[in-house]
Amino acid sequence: PDRIKKDGELAFVSALWFWMTPQSPKPSCHDALVGNWKPTAKDLKCGRRAGFGVTINIVNGGVECNHKPMKSKTFHRVETYKLFCKNLGTTPGANLNSETQQQFAA
């Protein structure tokens, strides 16, 4: 962690690695967001569907998932994502939050 904190290039490639690499049983954030990940029957039963919301689950799991009402930091994360999508001229897609998702098993 100290090397990553002090080395911007290492921090960037570490973040890219985390975004692109599945960590079983979790898919990669990239695959979940672009639709490469196909939820299993168990995923669907647990409320997990492809989209930005499942990336929140992958990154923060039990901290932000399955909380009703949605935590304010999760709400702001989703709103920021929608703003970025708007500014980039794209649509955010479906399944934007994680409030009804159970976290992936450890």
Side-chain angles (χ1 to χ4, degrees), residues 80-93:
T80 301
Y81 174 71
K82 288 165 43 177
L83 179 64
F84 272 90
C85 287
K86 180 181 176 186
N87 290 338
L88 293 170
T90 190
T91 58

Side-chain angles (χ1 to χ4, degrees), residues 11 17 19 37 39 62-63 70 77-79 81-82 87 90 97:
W17 176 87
W19 186 260
W37 171 67
V63 176
M70 187 185 331
R77 186 181 320 284
V78 172
E79 291 303 307
Y81 174 71
K82 288 165 43 177
N87 290 338
T90 190
N97 65 63

Side-chain angles (χ1 to χ4, degrees), residues 26-56:
K26 303 175 189 179
S28 72
C29 290
H30 175 80
D31 285 345
L33 192 59
V34 302
N36 292 341
W37 171 67
K38 304 300 180 210
T40 65
K42 180 180 178 183
D43 289 318
L44 295 173
K45 185 177 179 183
C46 292
R48 298 186 293 258
R49 287 160 178 73
F52 184 71
V54 84
T55 68
I56 296 170

